[in-house]
């Protein structure tokens, strides 16, 4: 179980060895744009629901998915026979069970901001992804991983 604080994780990743010095300026902008796009896509797909998921929950979940996607891109092998990439020691390795930050986490962070009551309503999130569960990248029938590819995330949200 890992407590996921989006601002903290984003800052750690931005200053880690996983992000090249040339990318540092645009990394946060791309991250935020991707999160925003995912939330808006989920909102459109869920607009017909009587009880849609709260906006703050969707935002938090989208930040987690962006984080997992970042880890996946940095560690998956780019070639068929290539070894998977490795993360540096300064890259936080969290999950697959993500817990929302508590009041304590917000209080103890400098510049963490004010405590918002909505934070207490965030629900934990379990991520099922080949980064954490390698067998998801295999055919369930024959266990082959030759022509099996991870398609991506659901467009409707959690």
């Amino acid at each position: 179980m890992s407590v996921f604080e989006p601002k903290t994780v984003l800052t750690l990743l931005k200053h880690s060895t996983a992000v090249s010095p040339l990318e540092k300026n645009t990394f946060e902008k791309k991250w935020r744009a991707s999160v925003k796009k995912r939330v808006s896509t989920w909102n459109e797909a869920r607009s017909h629901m009587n009880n849609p998921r709260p906006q703050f929950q969707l935002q938090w979940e989208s930040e987690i998915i962006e984080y997992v996607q970042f880890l996946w891109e940095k560690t998956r092998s780019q070639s068929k026979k290539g070894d998977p990439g490795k993360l540096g020691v300064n890259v936080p390795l969290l999950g697959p069970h993500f817990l929302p930050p508590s009041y304590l986490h917000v209080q103890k962070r400098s510049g963490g901001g004010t405590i918002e009551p909505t934070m207490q309503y965030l629900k934990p999130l379990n991520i099922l992804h080949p980064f954490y569960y390698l067998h998801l990248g295999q055919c369930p029938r024959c266990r082959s991983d030759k022509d099996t590819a991870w398609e991506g995330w659901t467009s409707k949200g959690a």
Side-chain angles (χ1 to χ4, degrees):
M1 296 195 298
S2 304
V3 174
F4 187 82
E5 300 172 90
K7 288 179 184 177
T8 305
V9 170
L10 180 57
T11 302
L12 289 172
L13 290 177
K14 185 178 174 181
H15 299 293
S16 71
T17 55
V19 178
S20 74
L22 299 174
E23 292 179 300
K24 287 192 189 298
N25 294 332
T26 59
F27 177 74
E28 189 170 350
K29 289 177 188 173
K30 287 180 182 177
W31 178 287
R32 294 202 188 283
S34 180
V35 167
K36 186 176 180 180
K37 182 180 177 188
R38 185 175 289 113
V39 170
S40 72
T41 302
W42 286 348
N43 281 328
E44 290 172 18
R46 303 171 135 257
S47 62
H48 68 282
M49 299 178 79
N50 291 338
N51 296 318
R53 207 163 192 90
Q55 196 66 27
F56 57 87
Q57 182 75 32
L58 289 178
Q59 179 72 27
W60 186 70
E61 290 175 1
S62 182
E63 296 270 3
I64 292 171
I65 289 173
E66 192 63 27
Y67 165 74
V68 173
Q69 192 65 31
F70 174 82
L71 295 179
W72 176 247
E73 291 296 323
K74 293 297 180 184
T75 58
R76 70 182 178 143
S77 60
Q78 302 299 329
S79 64
K80 297 221 180 218
K81 294 183 180 181
D83 291 329
K86 303 290 183 192
L87 296 172
V89 294
N90 59 355
V91 177
L93 186 55
L94 308 172
H97 182 71
F98 293 90
L99 299 174
S102 67
Y103 283 144
L104 175 71
H105 292 93
V106 176
Q107 283 178 331
K108 298 298 179 183
R109 295 269 182 220
S110 66
T114 59
I115 297 174
E116 298 177 23
T118 56
M119 184 176 54
Q120 286 302 104
Y121 295 105
L122 287 172
K123 296 178 182 176
L125 181 66
N126 287 310
I127 296 288
L128 298 175
H129 190 280
F131 178 78
Y132 299 109
Y133 305 100
L134 294 175
H135 65 278
L136 290 176
Q138 298 175 347
C139 172
R141 188 179 311 151
C142 68
R143 303 279 183 229
S144 171
D145 62 353
K146 291 192 186 225
D147 292 325
T148 307
W150 180 253
E151 290 297 321
W153 299 95
T154 177
S155 62
K156 298 190 189 239

